[in-house]
Structures are given as structure tokens and as C-alpha cells.
Amino acid sequence: EGKFYFKGSGGLVLQSYRHRTALRIAKSAILSVTTLALLGCMASERKEPTTFGPTIVSLNPCSDAVLAKVTRPGQLLAVSHFSHEVGGSSMGVAEGRRYPAVSGSVEEIARISPDIVVADVFLPPATEQAIRDLGIRVVTIGNINSVADSLLQVRQLSEVSRNIDKGQLLVRDIEDAILKFSSVLQAEAKPISAIVWQSGGIVAGDNTLIAELLRLSGFFNAAAVRGMRQADYLPLEVMLAHPPEVIFAAGEEASQEDRLLSHPALSALKDTRRVAFDSALLWCGGPTIIRALEELSQVRRELSAERQKVG
């Protein structure tokens, strides 16, 4: 039971580590009880939803982007910290930083005191229950694997925020973008082979949102043609032996993990173009679809122009 001394007004006082530990435990217990009491008070004092709709905190970068479009000023109180980070924001860092960011702790949410928290399905059950105990509604969203999934999610979040009209506008914008880029491709005789090569050398499978966006932009997923599935690893040697016409490199070139995406050997592929692609455009739907289609279609137009010159 080790001992220690400290000097006080009464001289040297002998105490045991056991006693010191007991004091710490007691202080911790008092702090926990006080925190729970404060959170309970905050929950009981929560205001009624505003006249323009419920206030919302978003904990997912995909819902951040959608809610920024379908909510009214003052409704979206905070977004996930990902939307403040380059490479993590599906809405763009500049737009994301218009809103405060949260890491997702119960204490942060309690301080903000929204009417609704939107999170993904991987929100820990204990965290979800703690948020519900504060009297806050929790809405969870799933993964987006297609344009259809995304349109459903937009409608869901616009209903949650009580702005169905703004959700319909966003749905129309997405559908208009698809029609715009698809109509440009009608004159093209042949899709272009492409691979989305992600961090660590993995590829995008066929049953994914980015694979559908490739098709809508006039490409076909060369990884799927090879029988590769989502998150399969594609070695550099295989890429060099059987290259597609376009490699969309979705990673950080400066990263040690992603150095193979910019390997010098790729420059020897004379009939293959390597294009840096924002990895934040891979997973989210909503307005992200429009941005992704614009980038993919720009590459498609440039390649079509080159083909015409050669022809």
C-alpha cells in the first residue's frame, strides 16, 4: 500500500495511495452524477420545434450535404467534423465550415439541444439511447448504393426537416443533371473502360453508386468486367498488364498508403489516362451526385474530343 507525503499548514501529513484513490473515485462519481443531472435539466428545458421546422444536428458527412440543401436557415445547427476536413467533406469544406462541427459526443449534442439528430446506422446503441434519453429524436440513414437509393434518402431527410418542397427541388436537380449528361452521350458509339482505384489499391465494385455514375457518364467499370467485387485489391502489376482507358485515382498522392496510385510505371501506359478523382465523391448521394457527374462527364468529353482528332 505505497505511501506519499505532501506539505500543508499542518506540517507533513501521511496518507496512503488507497486513500488518494478513494478520493479520486468519489470526485469522479460526483462529477458523473452532476453531469447526468445537468443533461437531464437540459432535456427538460428543451424548447418546442421552431415554426420553420425542427432544429437538426447531423453526424454523417452524407446527411450533412443533403440537409444543407433541404433545410431552411437556422434549422441545421451543426454538421459532422468530416465536413470541415479536406478529403472528408462531401459538400466541400468551404460550405461545410458555414456550420459548427461536432464529433458526435452526447455532451456536445446536449449543449446544442436540437430537436433531431441524424446519424448513420453505425451509431453506437449506447450513444443513441443516451441521445433519446435527452428527449431528442434520432433518425438513422443507411448506405447509398444507387441513384434510386439517394433520391429516397433526399425525400426522407426533407420529410424529417419538414421541407418536402426543398427535397423535391433537389431531386429534380439530380434528375436534370442525369438527363443532361446522358443526352450528351447518346451520340457516342462506345463506352470507355475505366477503373476507380481507391486508397490502398482497392477498386469500386459494380453494385455501387460510383459504378452507376460511371455508366451514366459514358464509361464502363473495367474492374467488374474482370470479376472484381467491391473493395477487392488490384495490384500494380495487373493494372499495368491489362490497363483500362482511364484510371480514376481516388486517393492522396502524398500518402504512403496511396503511393501506388501514382507509381512512375503508370506513365508508361500511353493509351491510358490517369485522372485524380476526389474520394469524397464516391460514397454520398444528394448534391454529391451532381458534382461527381460533372467531373466524370468532363473527362468523357475530353476523351471523346481526342478520339475525334485521331479519327
Side-chain angles (χ1 to χ4, degrees):
E1 181 189 275
K3 300 178 180 179
F4 73 98
Y5 293 85
F6 68 88
K7 190 172 182 179
S9 58
L12 291 176
V13 181
L14 176 65
Q15 291 193 10
S16 67
Y17 284 140
R18 180 180 298 171
H19 181 56
R20 181 173 62 172
T21 302
L23 286 174
R24 286 181 175 173
I25 292 173
K27 289 179 181 178
S28 178
I30 292 171
L31 180 61
S32 298
V33 171
T34 303
T35 301
L36 289 173
L38 287 173
L39 293 179
C41 290
M42 294 175 75
S44 64
E45 294 175 1
R46 293 182 66 254
K47 298 178 182 180
E48 292 298 317
T50 60
T51 55
F52 52 82
T55 54
I56 301 172
V57 166
S58 172
L59 304 182
N60 180 281
C62 297
S63 57
D64 292 348
V66 175
L67 287 167
K69 293 293 185 183
V70 303
T71 54
R72 301 185 188 281
Q75 274 192 278
L76 185 55
L77 302 182
V79 296
S80 71
H81 65 92
F82 297 106
S83 287
H84 281 206
E85 300 170 3
V86 176
S89 176
S90 68
M91 64 197 299
V93 172
E95 184 176 0
R97 289 178 179 171
R98 292 170 47 208
Y99 305 91
V102 292
S103 65
S105 71
V106 177
E107 291 78 10
E108 284 178 303
I109 294 167
R111 282 195 298 271
I112 299 172
S113 190
D115 300 307
I116 298 172
V117 166
V118 176
D120 58 47
V121 293
F122 302 106
L123 182 68
T127 301
E128 180 176 349
Q129 188 57 53
I131 295 171
R132 293 186 189 278
D133 288 344
L134 293 171
I136 299 172
R137 180 185 173 191
V138 177
V139 174
T140 56
I141 61 171
N143 293 330
I144 295 299
N145 295 316
S146 66
V147 172
D149 286 347
S150 176
L151 298 183
L152 285 174
Q153 187 180 89
V154 169
R155 293 187 176 100
Q156 175 195 8
L157 293 178
S158 64
E159 289 175 3
V160 165
S161 64
R162 299 182 192 169
N163 294 305
I164 294 177
D165 56 335
K166 292 177 75 67
Q168 290 173 335
L169 286 174
L170 179 53
V171 167
R172 192 175 306 131
D173 287 345
I174 295 169
E175 291 175 337
D176 287 347
I178 292 171
L179 287 173
K180 172 186 174 182
F181 295 119
S182 297
S183 63
V184 172
L185 298 173
Q186 288 178 357
E188 298 293 336
K190 180 183 176 183
I192 294 174
S193 64
I195 285 179
V196 179
W197 214 15
Q198 302 167 55
S199 292
I202 64 173
V203 297
D206 212 28
N207 295 320
T208 58
L209 177 61
I210 187 61
E212 182 174 2
L213 298 183
L214 284 173
R215 289 192 293 273
L216 291 171
S217 304
F219 298 94
F220 69 87
N221 188 0
V225 171
R226 300 178 188 189
M228 302 186 76
R229 297 169 298 178
Q230 172 64 10
D232 277 353
Y233 174 70
L234 179 60
L236 176 64
E237 295 79 6
V238 177
M239 180 70 85
L240 294 172
H242 305 284
E245 293 176 78
V246 182
I247 299 171
F248 288 103
E252 299 294 330
E253 291 191 7
S255 167
Q256 187 76 6
E257 180 186 20
D258 297 339
R259 61 182 178 175
L260 104 114
L261 303 187
S262 57
H263 195 282
L266 294 170
S267 60
L269 300 175
K270 296 182 180 179
D271 296 324
T272 298
R273 174 180 290 195
R274 193 181 65 85
V275 180
F277 192 74
D278 187 354
S279 57
L281 300 178
L282 293 177
W283 312 113
C284 295
T288 310
I289 289 176
I290 300 173
R291 289 176 55 208
L293 283 173
E294 288 172 346
E295 290 202 20
L296 293 170
S297 297
Q298 176 63 31
V299 175
R300 184 66 167 87
R301 286 193 296 271
E302 291 173 0
L303 289 170
S304 296
E306 290 177 6
R307 280 183 170 182
Q308 289 176 359
K309 288 181 181 179
V310 173

